[in-house]
Amino acid sequence: MGVQPWPGPGWYPLSDLAVIKQEMGRLFESFLGLSPGYAQSAEGVWAPPMDVCETRDEIRVLVELPGVSQSQIALEIVDGVLAIKGERQPDPTFRQDQLLRMECHYGPFGRRLNLPSVIDPDQVRATYRNGVLEVRLPKRAEARSQSITVEAT
């Protein structure tokens, strides 16, 4: 068997891999009975994307929830775990028999985040603006890091 020649122009291995991944995803979705592009857990709950940032004074959480009304979002802290739950309803004017593609997630959603013990649960604040939920979890004052000056003796 000799060396195979390079396929030449028009062959892009990375884009070919992306197409294969997409087709495999469709295969599994159809096998599991899911609509194309719809990912969910075994419990039927989807997980919105979340960013978490820690500063000296707080932990800040951003959750993307476009199309979710503020009244559909519930937050609670139980046993050191922040739980974010809710539900996004599909557009009622879209009929199932008319859908060509459905890539947005609908139905119940949930995210859980284990919190360090330094969080002051009484000072937690949440705001919702432009489809983004922001949760600020301040640290207790005694838990904040402090720099210590070393003195010469």
Side-chain angles (χ1 to χ4, degrees), residues 70-89:
Q70 182 177 343
S71 64
Q72 293 293 103
I73 302 170
L75 294 159
E76 65 181 353
I77 297 176
V78 178
D79 296 329
V81 177
L82 170 66
I84 303 168
K85 302 181 231 178
E87 186 168 351
R88 179 164 58 192
Q89 300 294 324

Side-chain angles (χ1 to χ4, degrees), residues 24-47:
M24 290 297 292
R26 285 188 188 137
L27 175 68
F28 283 113
E29 287 168 350
S30 65
F31 177 73
L32 296 173
L34 302 175
S35 301
Y38 187 81
Q40 65 183 21
S41 69
E43 298 85 29
V45 176
W46 61 276

